[in-house]
Amino acid sequence: MPVLLPSFAADLDAADPLAAFRQEFHIPPGPNGQPSVYLCGNSLGLQPQSARAAVEQEFEAWEQLGVEGHFHGEAPWLHYHETLAAPSARLVGARPLEVVVMNNLTVNLHLLLVTFYRPTAQRYKILMEGGAFPSDQYALESQARLHGLDPAEVIVELMPRPGEHTLRTADIEATIQELGDSLATIIIGGVNYYTGQAFDLAAITRAGHAVGALVGFDLAHAAGNLEMHLHDWDVDFACWCSYKYLNSGPGGTSGVFVHERFAHRPDLLRLAGWWGHDPTDRFQMKKGFRPMPGAAGWQLSNAQIFPMAIHRASLELVDRAGGMAALRRKSEQLTGYLETLIQELGLPSSQLEIITPADPAQRGCQLSVLVHQRGRELFDYLARQGIIADWREPNVIRLAPVPLYNSFQDVARTGAALRQFYHS
Ligand SMILES: *Cc1c(COP(=O)(O)O)cnc(C)c1O
């Protein structure tokens, strides 16, 4: 079985064009002193070596320039967020006008829903995935209440068929059709945080538009993980965080996409602040909000330079690696390798099963392993071997080898630890 030979992983690493990027990250040490196998990039990505210098550069500018840092220095703060538009646009397949980096994810989800969830007596329903990340559930419940509506009557949750763990695209499309002109807004995760299922965003957008609904995505687990074409897919709006697959630090800033067709619509209702106002007279401090064109017109506050500095360094790494196409190529191999090693354990599905779809088009880095027996024990065993995974109640272990800093040997170490646990 060549995949079980230690040299197999070493050969893959030697042939990996992205292997050198591992050296650009701080890999936390494991309990045995050697670098841990960090499979938690879906929760908090590791620190790029360049992050500290990026922040220090802004400390230096603040120290040396004070308020003048808004106008001088390498990247003046007045225009700082603009430097993130082009790399963010490349990341999600958008035009620079369609993206802005600001705030945090849940905040941005609310800001977008203020504009893109406008219920009427006829059209008021929201379609989301069942078992969505709790913050999204709370956000949508409170959005319904904001309009004086009962969340139980507004929110429709997509559920897998009995005995299945993930959703079928055809079932999602059928539900959308059924909801028809009662459906106001669809908001689904690009990748489900629990199962690791990647949804067909183009198909969902088409189906939503066909019934006259607006379609948005929470890309927390998709950004930096999947190749996307939000503009071409005609997605209306989206947001994502930067601290998972985008390695921009705990609580890092968030990205927003608003399709170009809304770029010149100052009439669209939104919560407004001075940073979204037409910059030509932003400092005249006059009454009467006039939004900037594009996603930038949804900004409220002046840019958070420190988290954005880290994000800028992180996006620079993604570009240097060749963008999402290159990362995705390695990612499919890494995750496929992990899947093979888990299958090689030969365990019955009554004991352990991968609930993430086997089709690479329906998943990103992450494999979610449903452990029916001794789950917590397995998780703790992995931790003692320096393998940092993630435990989700009641019995799922999420493993996410990421292409920027995980190696094939990381995956091989994980496979070896699993074999030891089950077969020794
Ligand atoms: C990680 C995650 C969040 C976290 O929201 P923050 O506002 O960044 O704290 C929200 N939604 C989803 C789907 C997530 O995966």
Side-chain angles (χ1 to χ4, degrees):
M1 216 63 72
V3 295
L4 298 179
L5 295 175
S7 62
F8 185 79
D11 289 347
L12 288 174
D13 282 329
D16 171 14
L18 300 181
F21 282 90
R22 180 176 171 84
Q23 266 87 61
E24 308 221 17
F25 286 85
H26 293 286
I27 315 274
N32 46 12
Q34 60 171 318
S36 59
V37 174
Y38 192 82
L39 302 181
C40 245
N42 55 345
S43 188
L44 181 71
L46 290 181
Q47 184 186 143
Q49 308 254 8
S50 54
R52 190 181 291 261
V55 172
E56 276 184 354
Q57 184 176 308
E58 301 313 324
F59 267 120
E60 179 76 12
W62 184 19
E63 190 177 302
Q64 297 298 321
L65 300 169
V67 71
E68 290 297 309
H70 284 100
F71 313 105
H72 303 290
E74 188 268 329
W77 304 326
L78 187 60
H79 300 289
Y80 204 88
H81 60 278
E82 292 166 23
T83 68
L84 299 171
S88 301
R90 284 193 285 280
L91 183 79
V92 296
R95 305 196 165 153
L97 179 71
E98 294 176 313
V99 297
V100 70
V101 170
M102 59 184 189
N103 311 318
N104 281 69
L105 173 55
T106 309
V107 172
N108 287 337
L109 186 58
H110 275 298
L111 293 179
L112 290 168
L113 287 168
V114 163
T115 303
F116 296 106
Y117 177 57
R118 307 293 314 147
T120 64
Q122 155 82 16
R123 195 184 276 285
Y124 60 93
K125 293 206 165 151
I126 298 173
L127 181 66
M128 72 185 303
E129 78 222 268
F133 194 87
S135 197
D136 299 51
Q137 299 188 40
Y138 306 148
L140 291 167
E141 280 170 21
S142 58
Q143 283 286 330
R145 290 209 177 89
L146 190 64
H147 293 282
L149 301 173
D150 176 359
E153 280 174 19
V154 163
I155 298 170
V156 178
E157 291 186 304
L158 292 157
M159 291 298 178
R161 294 185 183 192
E164 298 185 7
H165 295 291
T166 52
L167 295 167
R168 301 188 190 193
T169 304
D171 289 354
I172 300 175
E173 291 168 329
T175 306
I176 293 169
Q177 266 191 356
E178 238 167 71
L179 291 168
D181 58 9
S182 73
L183 184 58
T185 304
I186 298 174
I187 176 85
I188 296 182
V191 173
N192 181 269
Y193 82 102
Y194 189 76
T195 63
Q197 179 178 22
F199 297 109
D200 186 338
L201 307 191
I204 294 172
T205 305
R206 261 195 312 276
H209 286 172
V211 300
L214 289 162
V215 185
F217 296 102
D218 181 334
L219 303 175
H221 282 260
N225 183 11
L226 300 178
E227 220 184 323
M228 292 183 282
H229 304 281
L230 298 185
H231 176 86
D232 291 344
W233 293 343
D234 218 25
V235 170
D236 293 305
F237 66 98
C239 47
W240 56 93
C241 57
S242 64
Y243 50 83
K244 291 171 179 164
Y245 293 106
L246 291 172
N247 311 310
S248 303
T253 186
S254 160
V256 159
F257 167 89
V258 177
H259 197 279
E260 195 173 40
R261 72 178 141 274
F262 306 113
H264 303 284
R265 292 282 308 277
D267 58 303
L268 287 177
L269 188 71
R270 65 191 88 189
L271 296 181
W274 73 321
W275 229 246
H277 186 81
D278 178 356
T280 56
D281 69 355
R282 184 187 289 150
F283 291 95
Q284 319 247 311
M285 308 296 189
K286 285 193 304 203
K287 260 190 200 296
F289 176 69
R290 279 188 297 110
M292 292 166 77
W298 271 263
Q299 291 172 103
L300 302 184
S301 296
N302 73 100
Q304 296 152 293
I305 300 306
F306 291 96
M308 285 187 186
I310 302 176
H311 192 39
R312 201 159 163 244
S314 259
L315 289 172
E316 199 261 330
L317 272 178
V318 172
D319 275 334
R320 210 146 39 76
M324 285 315 302
L327 289 174
R328 182 68 179 146
R329 230 171 286 131
K330 176 175 173 187
S331 174
E332 285 187 20
Q333 287 186 318
L334 266 182
T335 298
Y337 183 38
L338 178 61
E339 180 181 43
T340 304
L341 292 178
I342 293 171
Q343 285 162 349
E344 296 284 332
L345 296 170
L347 299 171
S349 62
S350 58
Q351 192 168 3
L352 178 153
E353 60 183 317
I354 299 174
I355 60 173
T356 308
D359 173 10
Q362 289 186 63
R363 69 184 187 200
C365 301
Q366 173 184 328
L367 292 182
S368 299
V369 183
L370 183 57
V371 194
H372 294 285
Q373 299 154 32
R374 299 167 68 204
R376 192 71 219 190
E377 201 187 318
L378 170 60
F379 179 77
D380 293 341
Y381 178 81
L382 291 175
R384 284 198 301 280
Q385 305 304 308
I387 294 159
I388 304 178
D390 165 291
W391 175 260
R392 292 284 130 170
E393 293 297 338
N395 54 353
V396 162
I397 296 177
R398 302 188 304 174
L399 305 163
V402 306
L404 267 175
Y405 51 76
N406 284 122
S407 63
F408 290 91
Q409 287 170 91
D410 278 347
V411 173
R413 262 178 73 189
T414 308
L418 288 168
R419 264 198 320 283
Q420 282 234 325
F421 181 80
Y422 283 108
H423 297 313
S424 66

